[in-house]
Amino acid sequence: MFSLPFIRRETPELEGDKVRLRMPQANDYREWAELRAISRAFLEPWEPRWMPDEFERSAWRLRINHYRRDYAQGAAMAFFMYERGHGRLVGGITLGNIRHGVSKSAQIGYWIGQPYAGQGLMTDAVKTLSRFAFGELTLHRIEAACIPENSRSIRVLEKAGFRREGLLRSYLRINGVWQDHYLYARIADDPPVA
């Protein structure tokens, strides 16, 4: 195990122009389950296969424990995204596989509820989390993988200043099928994005 500078602090809350990011809490279950349920057909093509107990409270508790453990170990930071002003849960974003030492890198993954897609909320969340990762966490590189057919996600990454670096063949098992992914990355000293 290794120690990261943010471990002993309060869990961070990040403010973007359109969204507020905070770590999931046990009492977020109902709002999360409702948003995921109404967005299921929209999300399934881009995510690992959903488990049969996806919406069970016991599965939720395991998910929350996993988020807390990863955070305590410095391995990942999961956030829920809330629309500023209204305070509604709109999606989630994770900074995962956090590595320090010579790598100083991490991977970003995200989802958004169907009613909130196409409003610039995810782009704002990616920019906000990137600033935090490069600033407070002093990371050098953030990567994101995206299925080539996911044009919405490609637009999010490109608007957030990520650059396509190549194609990862049969990279992740998405909805039960091994899928190719484009690899995108942003480096700490890349030009700022408006």
Side-chain angles (χ1 to χ4, degrees):
M1 287 300 125
F2 55 92
S3 176
L4 295 178
F6 60 86
I7 294 299
R8 289 183 178 82
R9 296 186 198 158
E10 288 289 316
T11 57
E13 288 196 15
L14 310 178
E15 294 282 338
D17 293 332
K18 297 181 175 187
V19 297
R20 179 176 55 88
L21 307 179
R22 74 156 170 79
M23 297 185 79
Q25 300 168 1
N27 62 359
D28 293 326
Y29 167 75
R30 186 176 309 265
E31 194 174 12
W32 170 86
E34 288 172 3
L35 181 58
R36 297 283 293 176
I38 65 171
S39 303
R40 185 172 187 150
F42 177 73
L43 295 171
E44 277 185 322
W46 319 115
E47 295 187 351
R49 181 165 283 159
W50 289 29
M51 302 303 293
D53 67 348
E54 189 78 17
F55 296 117
E56 298 293 325
R57 281 202 180 266
S58 58
W60 171 254
R61 283 190 293 274
L62 290 174
R63 182 183 302 269
I64 290 295
N65 289 337
H66 178 79
Y67 292 154
R68 289 176 180 160
R69 182 180 60 246
D70 281 354
Y71 178 72
Q73 293 173 350
M77 299 176 76
F79 294 93
F80 276 177
M81 297 169 29
Y82 292 87
E83 187 177 26
R84 288 190 60 170
H86 299 291
R88 291 182 291 243
L89 176 67
V90 297
I93 188 166
T94 301
L95 189 67
N97 199 17
I98 299 171
R99 300 173 304 276
H100 282 270
V102 297
S103 178
K104 294 185 73 69
S105 64
Q107 295 170 327
I108 199 167
Y110 46 81
W111 65 273
I112 193 160
Q114 186 172 9
Y116 307 104
Q119 300 176 28
L121 301 171
M122 186 55 70
T123 301
D124 186 47
V126 171
K127 289 177 181 179
T128 300
L129 187 55
S130 296
R131 282 192 299 273
F132 174 77
F134 292 137
E136 187 158 341
L137 300 184
T138 68
L139 296 181
H140 176 70
R141 176 184 175 86
I142 303 171
E143 297 176 351
C146 177
I147 295 172
E149 292 78 24
N150 193 343
S151 58
R152 286 177 180 257
S153 191
I154 288 170
R155 278 195 309 276
V156 164
L157 293 170
E158 290 176 349
K159 285 180 180 179
F162 283 68
R163 296 185 195 166
R164 187 182 306 173
E165 294 188 337
L167 179 70
L168 304 168
R169 296 180 308 120
S170 195
Y171 182 61
L172 296 173
R173 190 170 179 167
I174 301 298
N175 203 16
V177 178
W178 288 101
Q179 300 270 356
D180 294 346
H181 282 67
Y182 286 138
L183 175 65
Y184 280 82
R186 183 157 174 72
I187 307 300
D189 50 6
D190 281 345
V193 178

